[in-house]
Amino acid sequence: MKKHHSNDILSNLGIKSLNEMQEMAHDAILNENNTLLLSPTGSGKTLAFLLPILELLQPEVLSVQCLILVPSRELGLQIEQVWKKMGTQYKVNICYGGHSIETEIKNLSNPPAVLIGTPGRIADHIERETFRTDKIQTLVLDEFDKSLQLGFHEQMSFIIGRLSRVNKRVLVSATSDIEIPKYTRVVNPVVLDFIPEEEEKTNLSMKMVISPAKDKLQSLFNLICSLKSESAIIFCNHRDAAERISDTLKEKGIYSVYYHGGMDQEERERALIQFRNGSVTYLVTTDLAARGLDIPEMKHVIHYHLPLKEDEFTHRNGRTARMQATGTAYVIIHESEKELDYIDYEMDILDVEGKVSLPQPPKFQTIYISGGKKTKLNKFDIVGFFSQKGKLEKDDLGLIEVKDFVSFAAVKYNKVKDLLKNIKDEKMKGKKFKIEVARNVIKKEEDEKRGKY
């Protein structure tokens, strides 16, 4: 590391010296074209790549030289803060969805040396040509595993395809079983693996539930009733099983929704929106949801059926006990099932018989709005309209998701009736939108398919 500024930077950051991972990453990034850095969350990865980047920057180039792609706004802001604290003479900017694009365009008119952003927003800027890409020589994909999980493939592939001069690529991940897609153009990277062998599995506990009946629905119902109303993902092996289980749970008073590859994109999206925003507490799914889904960290994963392959089992369990959190995976077994060699049948047995107090109903209900990005609606419009005209308090509103032509907002159950009454004849941004409870929209579509209309 260049001695003349290293000490100043470390003292600006309040650090005496670099750890082993940071030292090794520093040398690898400076000397190699492709680096894959695997290190647990909270180990100082940000500094590990920012220090060598600083040495790669050239003061005479008045254009973006390094692009850092991040899966979330929070992570981007964190990196920006560390860079600013370092006290370099180089400008940094951050771009992300939900941030004013006009402000970002203004910032980019005097280009930063380091640009941080989420894939969707950076792709947007590249399409608008708001900054030049021909001087970008370093590309960092931070928390790359998470970007893949959140399904940013298309945007990342588009962005990387537009970067013709990149000669250094750095991939950073907190999980080790990572497959690197071809579009990253990362070939034979130097791998720095600092993830402790058992670290990833230590937070996951496994429990077995023995089902007295071959049809395990009653045992599943009892298990759900024992989870203190906390949400869970229930995995099964077939699409029709997912629908049957979800329908049966609903009949028993448990708010669940199914998700599988036989549903069209819109139906799947709506199911996930309701699960994400807390309008539905249980997601019954096939292995389609074992990876690549944008859903929050789960405390509970239930295997109604066990998958045939161990790696599917691992992916399913990866939905819980991530980062520093703890989680439990439950396996429901009937004695007639063939034993699978990857399952430890000595695991703790959980007795759920007789546990039948129903979980609390969800706090939120999903509201459907017949407008989205393409009709010039954004989150702030919806929040403003629902609070001013709909008279909702801040806590009455949950997650809001704006799609191209429709939007969905989570609203506290007990406030929905008044909200719909208050806004019945009101216009949002001068236009009348159809606003109703989304659950009915889905129900109606289901009924139409089954020929009830």
Side-chain angles (χ1 to χ4, degrees):
M1 189 151 122
K2 289 182 186 166
K3 279 284 167 262
H4 65 272
H5 61 220
S6 67
N7 297 338
D8 297 345
I9 285 170
L10 293 186
S11 69
N12 289 346
L13 292 163
I15 296 172
K16 286 205 166 54
S17 61
L18 297 181
N19 62 32
E20 184 201 359
M21 179 269 291
Q22 291 165 331
E23 292 277 9
M24 285 181 71
H26 177 267
D27 295 343
I29 291 168
L30 283 182
N31 299 311
E32 307 288 344
N33 293 339
N34 295 306
T35 308
L36 173 59
L37 172 60
L38 305 170
S39 193
T41 305
S43 57
K45 295 193 292 281
T46 303
L47 195 56
F49 61 76
L50 288 183
L51 285 171
I53 282 170
L54 176 58
E55 294 180 41
L56 294 165
L57 297 178
Q58 299 163 325
E60 68 280 2
V61 177
L62 304 175
S63 192
V64 180
Q65 298 179 57
C66 169
L67 177 62
I68 303 173
L69 289 180
V70 292
S72 69
R73 169 190 123 173
E74 292 71 24
L75 178 63
L77 291 166
Q78 200 181 308
I79 298 170
E80 182 192 37
Q81 257 177 332
V82 175
W83 183 268
K84 285 182 170 169
K85 247 188 177 164
M86 281 164 62
T88 77
Q89 77 271 35
Y90 292 102
K91 183 181 171 190
V92 64
N93 276 133
I94 177 164
C95 300
Y96 53 84
H99 191 219
S100 149
I101 193 131
E102 288 73 25
T103 308
E104 291 181 356
I105 291 169
K106 211 161 109 205
N107 287 338
L108 293 169
S109 63
N110 168 22
V114 176
L115 179 58
I116 306 164
T118 50
R121 184 48 70 95
I122 293 290
D124 191 355
H125 280 292
I126 288 179
E127 278 180 329
R128 293 170 188 249
E129 298 183 348
T130 51
F131 65 91
R132 288 171 54 178
T133 56
D134 59 339
K135 298 281 191 241
I136 298 177
Q137 296 199 312
T138 310
L139 172 68
V140 179
L141 305 178
D142 195 10
E143 285 197 4
F144 181 56
D145 48 326
K146 197 123 172 256
S147 289
L148 294 184
Q149 242 172 20
L150 296 176
F152 286 133
H153 292 272
E154 223 171 284
Q155 294 97 324
M156 293 203 294
S157 172
F158 167 76
I159 294 164
I160 296 167
R162 292 291 182 96
L163 307 178
S164 52
R165 299 286 168 84
V166 169
N167 52 28
K168 265 194 202 297
R169 293 177 168 81
V170 181
L171 264 55
V172 185
S173 168
T175 53
S176 49
D177 56 343
I178 187 169
E179 272 181 55
I180 303 176
K182 280 201 172 62
Y183 62 72
T184 58
R185 307 185 186 180
V186 170
V187 192
N188 303 329
V190 168
V191 180
L192 303 177
D193 188 349
F194 286 89
I195 295 180
E197 279 290 301
E198 281 306 304
E199 167 98 346
E200 288 186 47
K201 298 191 179 63
T202 48
N203 295 338
L204 177 71
S205 51
M206 302 284 299
K207 298 260 165 68
M208 185 180 289
V209 171
I210 294 173
S211 170
K214 199 168 179 180
D215 183 328
K216 307 173 189 174
L217 274 166
Q218 189 58 44
S219 295
L220 171 65
F221 174 73
N222 293 352
L223 170 59
I224 287 173
C225 289
S226 74
L227 298 182
K228 304 190 187 104
S229 306
E230 292 170 342
S231 63
I233 299 187
I234 297 142
F235 283 103
C236 48
N237 290 349
H238 310 288
R239 294 169 177 183
D240 53 352
E243 295 194 17
R244 180 177 75 97
I245 294 165
S246 176
D247 289 347
T248 308
L249 290 176
K250 275 188 219 159
E251 283 160 20
K252 287 175 173 279
I254 286 178
Y255 291 76
S256 76
V257 66
Y258 57 79
Y259 178 91
H260 60 65
M263 301 159 73
D264 66 35
Q265 186 58 41
E266 200 179 317
E267 288 176 311
R268 292 210 304 248
E269 191 54 56
R270 285 190 185 195
L272 284 191
I273 284 167
Q274 294 189 65
F275 184 59
R276 262 201 299 267
N277 72 21
S279 300
V280 165
T281 323
Y282 305 96
L283 181 71
V284 186
T285 179
T286 57
D287 283 327
L288 181 66
R291 50 182 111 186
L293 273 199
D294 177 9
I295 48 178
E297 173 74 27
M298 302 305 308
K299 265 195 180 172
H300 308 285
V301 164
I302 299 171
H303 301 273
Y304 185 86
H305 297 135
L306 282 169
L308 295 172
K309 295 202 181 81
E310 181 173 9
D311 63 339
E312 282 307 332
F313 185 65
T314 309
H315 280 298
R316 288 175 175 191
N317 292 339
R319 284 277 153 217
T320 185
R322 294 206 297 256
M323 308 302 179
Q324 311 304 317
T326 55
T328 309
Y330 305 86
V331 177
I332 306 179
I333 299 277
H334 179 254
E335 58 180 28
S336 68
E337 285 176 58
K338 185 169 155 275
E339 290 205 354
L340 297 168
D341 47 9
Y342 68 82
I343 294 289
D344 170 17
Y345 287 87
E346 300 298 301
M347 70 175 87
D348 290 349
I349 290 177
L350 180 68
D351 178 18
V352 295
E353 291 311 302
K355 295 207 168 38
V356 288
S357 55
L358 276 173
Q360 296 284 320
K363 291 190 173 68
F364 289 100
Q365 200 162 15
T366 303
I367 300 297
Y368 160 89
I369 301 147
S370 67
K373 289 178 198 157
K374 298 273 198 268
T375 47
K376 304 279 188 287
L377 266 196
N378 62 35
K379 269 185 200 171
F380 304 109
D381 298 328
I382 296 169
V383 172
F385 182 64
F386 279 15
S387 43
Q388 283 151 24
K389 303 286 188 196
K391 302 190 174 44
L392 289 186
E393 299 292 320
K394 193 168 175 251
D395 295 346
D396 298 334
L397 256 176
L399 191 66
I400 295 175
E401 301 198 35
V402 181
K403 304 289 166 199
D404 281 348
F405 296 101
V406 296
S407 303
F408 298 93
V411 173
K412 286 258 175 81
Y413 247 84
N414 54 357
K415 296 295 168 84
V416 169
K417 224 164 129 184
D418 287 346
L419 166 77
L420 295 178
K421 199 169 84 204
N422 291 337
I423 59 176
K424 199 162 73 83
D425 303 313
E426 300 286 352
K427 291 182 172 176
M428 179 162 35
K429 288 185 99 171
K431 197 171 168 223
K432 190 89 174 71
F433 290 97
K434 186 177 181 183
I435 299 175
E436 61 188 16
V437 175
R439 208 179 171 92
N440 301 346
V441 178
I442 293 183
K443 189 81 188 90
K444 190 172 161 199
E445 285 171 1
E446 284 176 2
D447 288 345
E448 275 170 1
K449 279 195 181 141
R450 295 179 182 152
K452 287 189 190 167
Y453 273 68

